[in-house]
Amino acid sequence: MLEKSNKHVVLCGDSIFDNANYVEKGELDVLGHLQQLQKNTGNQASLLAVDGDVCLDVLQQVKQLPGDTSHIFVSAGGNDALGFMGVLTESYASNEELFLAIANIQIQFRERYVKMLEGVLALKLPTIVCTVYNPRYNLPDPTTGIASKFMQTKQKILSALLSLFNDVIIQEASMRNFSLIDLRAICNTDADFANPIEPSTIGAEKLAAKILQVLSEHDFADVSTRLYM
């Protein structure tokens, strides 16, 4: 597929891209940084991602793609994962029952994510998908300067569980020749987060910069999968 000289990037998914509500007044969100970085290039960036949306909502988002869309970037799955976290509050008679419940969660997520991928694949547009970054529940408490043991434990548990979702994302995307951005390697410091699960303007700038790097470096005609970090 020949790429258009002027690119129109469209961001789909959830609040990883639609993070305007989580940055301070006057600060740029992901879209703002992307537009600023592309200023005077003739390229465009649009946002269809919606704070709170899950994987299957992306199928509705892409129905609104501008006619001149050249590239799609999708960051979805985090809200699906949050919706499944109730498994941690339930009681189980044995470890086997607990692990079976976790396995069933991964199966359900896989079904949803595959359906989303197939829908996006049918558009036949250059597309990059993203993993889900690890949350930052271990952010220092403003009063003490350190995270509580409870929050540190929560961070470890949720990061471990998210690896199950990211395994699905990487595997299923690779099987369909999608390349990926591993957000775990992008938003990886306290300053990248406005709260435990949303990117700050600093994180947003890093995300925008990585999107532009992929746009400039990636050969979308190559069907082999590449992981950007």
Side-chain angles (χ1 to χ4, degrees):
M1 178 182 294
L2 294 176
E3 293 191 38
K4 304 171 184 178
S5 55
N6 288 334
K7 299 171 182 176
H8 187 169
V9 179
V10 179
L11 307 179
C12 297
D14 53 32
S15 60
I16 302 304
F17 289 155
D18 182 27
N19 72 316
N21 289 332
Y22 304 101
V23 298
E24 298 294 331
K25 185 177 180 181
E27 294 181 338
L28 296 177
D29 58 0
V30 174
L31 180 64
H33 278 296
L34 191 55
Q35 291 173 331
Q36 183 68 27
L37 290 171
Q38 292 191 114
K39 192 175 181 181
N40 302 322
T41 66
N43 295 331
Q44 300 180 63
S46 297
L47 179 72
L48 291 179
V50 177
D51 184 6
D53 272 8
V54 295
C55 288
L56 294 182
D57 291 321
V58 173
L59 298 178
Q60 298 302 315
Q61 293 176 15
V62 296
K63 290 180 179 180
Q64 307 170 54
L65 285 172
D68 63 346
T69 299
S70 65
H71 297 78
I72 304 171
F73 283 74
V74 180
S75 178
N79 289 320
D80 297 79
L82 287 174
F84 283 124
M85 289 308 172
V87 68
L88 299 178
T89 64
E90 298 180 17
S91 298
Y92 298 92
S94 64
N95 287 337
E96 181 179 0
E97 284 192 8
L98 171 60
F99 288 127
L100 181 58
I102 293 173
N104 286 333
I105 284 173
Q106 190 182 47
I107 290 170
Q108 293 177 58
F109 176 70
R110 187 182 301 275
E111 291 173 350
R112 299 180 187 182
Y113 201 78
V114 165
K115 188 172 183 179
M116 181 200 75
L117 286 179
E118 293 291 347
V120 175
L121 186 64
L123 300 171
K124 298 182 179 180
L125 286 169
T127 301
I128 298 289
V129 298
C130 302
T131 63
V132 179
Y133 59 40
N134 290 326
R136 212 72 177 181
Y137 283 101
N138 57 345
L139 287 171
D141 184 280
T143 57
T144 65
I146 58 174
S148 67
K149 288 185 178 180
F150 173 78
M151 297 305 285
Q152 291 178 25
T153 299
K154 185 174 183 178
Q155 172 70 21
K156 291 177 182 178
I157 292 173
L158 293 182
S159 295
L161 285 175
L162 275 176
S163 66
L164 300 175
F165 294 87
N166 281 320
D167 182 70
V168 169
I169 292 172
I170 294 172
Q171 181 183 23
E172 296 298 339
S174 299
M175 289 173 62
R176 291 163 180 79
N177 301 320
F178 286 106
S179 286
L180 308 95
I181 297 176
D182 191 347
L183 298 188
R184 292 170 294 183
I186 311 301
C187 293
N188 56 5
T189 70
D190 290 352
D192 297 329
F193 291 80
N195 61 44
I197 59 174
E198 312 292 352
S200 66
T201 189
I202 294 174
E205 184 175 16
K206 292 169 70 173
L207 291 170
K210 183 59 64 172
I211 289 170
L212 290 185
Q213 178 194 341
V214 173
L215 279 174
S216 65
E217 293 182 4
H218 188 67
D219 180 2
F220 286 90
D222 185 353
V223 295
S224 59
T225 295
R226 181 173 175 180
L227 183 66
Y228 290 88
M229 303 175 70

